[in-house]
Amino acid sequence: MSHSLRFSTRISSTLTENRLTELASRLKNEGRMVLNLAESNPTRCGLQAPGVLEALALPESLVYTPDPRGLIRARKALGERLLCKPEELFLAASTSEAYGWLFKLLCDPGDAVLVPKPGYPLFDYLAGLEGVRALPYALDYRHPRGWAIDIDRLLLDAAREKAKAIVLINPNNPTGSYIRADERVRIVEACACLGMAIIADEVFLPYALEDDGAQRSFGGESACLCFTLDGLSKLLCLPQLKLAWLRLSGPEALLAEASARLEIIADAYLSAGAPAMNALPSLLPAADGFVLSLQKRMQENMAALRGLFEEEGSPYRVLRCEGGWTAVLECPRVDSDEELALGLLLHAGVLVHPGYLFEFERDGYLTISLIVPPEQFRRGAAAMRGYLDGLLSL
Ligand SMILES: Cc1ncc(COP(=O)(O)O)c(C=O)c1O
């Protein structure tokens, strides 16, 4: 008798590529030129932090001295930058991994966490891999004010589902919205009251595009249990180094236990690599200057996008973007987002992401990476405008 093996339902049984990825691979195989305005891998955008190879070549990295929280010299350097004690910090290989640790720390299988929608789809997968339910909470857009969390709904859902954590992406990807001061007050209060934690993902925090001082970190928030995540992946555009950190804060009574439990999880993986941890003290001093230069590139790209799409009476709109690496273009709904993106790729040779990948409420949104080199960005955005205008005049 033969038995078929049943895999875990953590991985969905539909393993096919989406149509856009399929088309992009086909065009690549055919040698067709594509202007990739969906590129969010900084190492393919000509972005290079200074002194990386030198920082990695340290003899200390030839020795293995495991510490579940991460090497102390790295945590000390980070603590100086974040103005916190090394004991408040844990190092991991990536923020994605840190999410996994936090879901293990806070949730049993079947428990719920709340994640923003529209949002980056990664968090649903990360939660699913831990057997955790990721329930969406809505962000609504009002022009020109921007995005805001439907806070009453969020707090009602959190209480009803006995959620273990609220994930705040500060600023959110792809909406580019920071958590507002009034939203923060209500969320922190609810978390303290209902026994929920905040997971604040701040990988894009320094990349502000508006000058309104909206970027306030959750690092050190003490009224409820709070985990603030960041890493080299965005701060210095070094995702390949695989080094991220999480900072714990909150009421004394909870902190010691959270920290001891997290240490057990981190000890099971010991995943941050010695070369990256040893390099951190000499890499961090370059971070602010590096962020500034990338911010300039993004501002230039955003200005080009607005210049190309937002003339008087334009049928398009570039949504308000306070920070992060992504712009959102709203277009007339002549077709589904997916068909628009497929048409743009096939006929205009421009790759952008359709809004549905980020669970926008309805069609009519395309997301565009702001970190691509400005010359490529301008050519791609102009080709997009030409193609979309052509569709509108049909
Ligand atoms: C908001 C956000 N957080 C985390 C990540 C993943 O970062 P890491 O490379 O540290 O896993 C991404 C990836 O783009 C992201 O958009």
Side-chain angles (χ1 to χ4, degrees):
M1 196 172 74
S2 74
H3 292 276
S4 62
L5 190 148
R6 193 182 63 77
F7 288 100
S8 161
T9 50
R10 283 160 210 258
I11 311 287
S12 138
S13 50
T14 48
L15 297 171
T16 48
E17 278 191 334
N18 71 41
R19 288 168 69 205
L20 193 63
T21 318
E22 256 173 25
L23 179 61
S25 324
R26 202 188 86 206
L27 297 182
K28 194 172 168 203
N29 290 338
E30 290 170 3
R32 296 255 300 266
M33 241 279 284
V34 169
L35 286 164
N36 188 351
L37 296 199
E39 187 59 86
S40 59
N41 176 345
T43 64
R44 293 205 204 107
C45 293
L47 295 161
Q48 182 61 73
V52 178
L53 291 181
E54 298 81 342
L56 287 168
L58 296 181
E60 296 90 302
S61 300
L62 297 174
V63 186
Y64 186 42
T65 46
D67 179 335
R69 293 171 181 248
L71 293 179
I72 186 65
R73 64 182 300 216
R75 286 186 291 122
K76 267 191 182 150
L78 206 51
E80 276 162 29
R81 178 174 170 81
L82 302 177
L83 306 178
C84 70
K85 297 193 200 108
E87 304 85 78
E88 295 170 38
L89 297 165
F90 280 77
L91 304 183
S94 64
T95 49
S96 308
E97 180 179 60
Y99 274 105
W101 290 1
L102 294 177
F103 295 149
K104 288 188 225 316
L105 174 74
L106 299 165
C107 303
D108 284 317
D111 280 345
V113 296
L114 285 138
V115 299
K117 177 182 153 184
Y120 192 60
L122 176 70
F123 315 113
D124 296 342
Y125 289 108
L126 294 173
L129 288 173
E130 304 299 337
V132 169
R133 289 178 300 135
L135 306 177
Y137 65 86
L139 280 97
D140 299 320
Y141 187 76
R142 298 265 180 286
H143 201 70
R145 181 196 67 165
W147 295 90
I149 296 173
D150 183 345
I151 203 94
D152 292 329
R153 263 301 284 291
L154 161 63
L155 299 183
L156 276 176
D157 289 350
R160 194 191 57 240
E161 297 289 341
K162 299 188 172 50
K164 306 307 282 288
I166 298 181
V167 175
L168 301 171
I169 318 289
N170 188 33
N172 187 33
N173 176 11
T175 61
S177 45
Y178 288 92
I179 306 298
R180 294 156 189 273
D182 57 324
E183 293 171 341
R184 178 178 181 146
V185 169
R186 292 195 58 198
I187 292 169
V188 167
E189 201 178 81
C191 284
C193 183
L194 297 172
M196 293 184 294
I198 287 178
I199 299 176
D201 176 334
E202 301 196 336
V203 297
F204 293 117
L205 188 87
Y207 293 99
L209 288 167
E210 301 271 340
D211 214 7
D212 57 3
Q215 90 233 65
R216 271 194 55 223
S217 172
F218 278 76
E221 171 61 60
S222 60
C224 66
L225 191 59
C226 182
F227 304 90
T228 310
L229 312 184
D230 196 358
L232 287 184
S233 164
K234 308 291 184 291
L235 184 66
L236 276 160
C237 288
L238 293 168
Q240 75 279 29
L241 252 56
K242 295 275 132 203
L243 189 63
W245 45 91
L246 60 86
R247 177 177 173 191
L248 267 77
S249 59
E252 285 296 322
L254 280 174
L255 262 187
E257 185 171 358
S259 196
R261 286 174 177 264
L262 193 55
E263 185 168 318
I264 292 170
I265 298 170
D267 195 30
Y269 292 93
L270 294 170
S271 54
M277 288 191 283
N278 281 320
L280 195 65
S282 42
L283 291 175
L284 285 176
D288 292 336
F290 184 79
V291 165
L292 206 64
S293 63
L294 180 50
Q295 248 173 339
K296 281 208 182 105
R297 174 188 286 199
M298 293 193 304
Q299 274 156 351
E300 186 181 339
N301 286 341
M302 187 55 117
L305 191 67
R306 291 197 187 285
L308 273 161
F309 279 92
E310 289 204 319
E311 80 283 358
E312 187 73 44
S314 165
Y316 310 97
R317 187 158 71 177
V318 179
L319 301 194
R320 179 179 159 87
C321 175
E322 296 160 6
W325 287 6
T326 309
V328 180
L329 179 70
E330 188 177 1
C331 335
R333 276 167 275 161
V334 284
D335 218 334
S336 72
D337 289 354
E338 185 178 32
E339 292 302 331
L340 272 190
L342 287 167
L344 273 165
L345 180 55
L346 190 61
H347 303 297
V350 181
L351 178 61
V352 292
H353 278 146
Y356 86 88
L357 289 180
F358 302 92
E359 295 198 61
F360 276 76
E361 192 112 77
R362 55 177 178 77
D363 282 319
Y365 298 101
L366 298 170
T367 71
I368 303 168
S369 168
L370 290 169
I371 64 165
V372 301
E375 157 55 18
Q376 175 184 335
F377 188 92
R378 234 174 290 113
R379 278 197 294 136
M384 269 177 85
R385 174 83 206 233
Y387 174 77
L388 294 171
D389 280 356
L391 283 186
L392 289 181
S393 64
L394 285 180

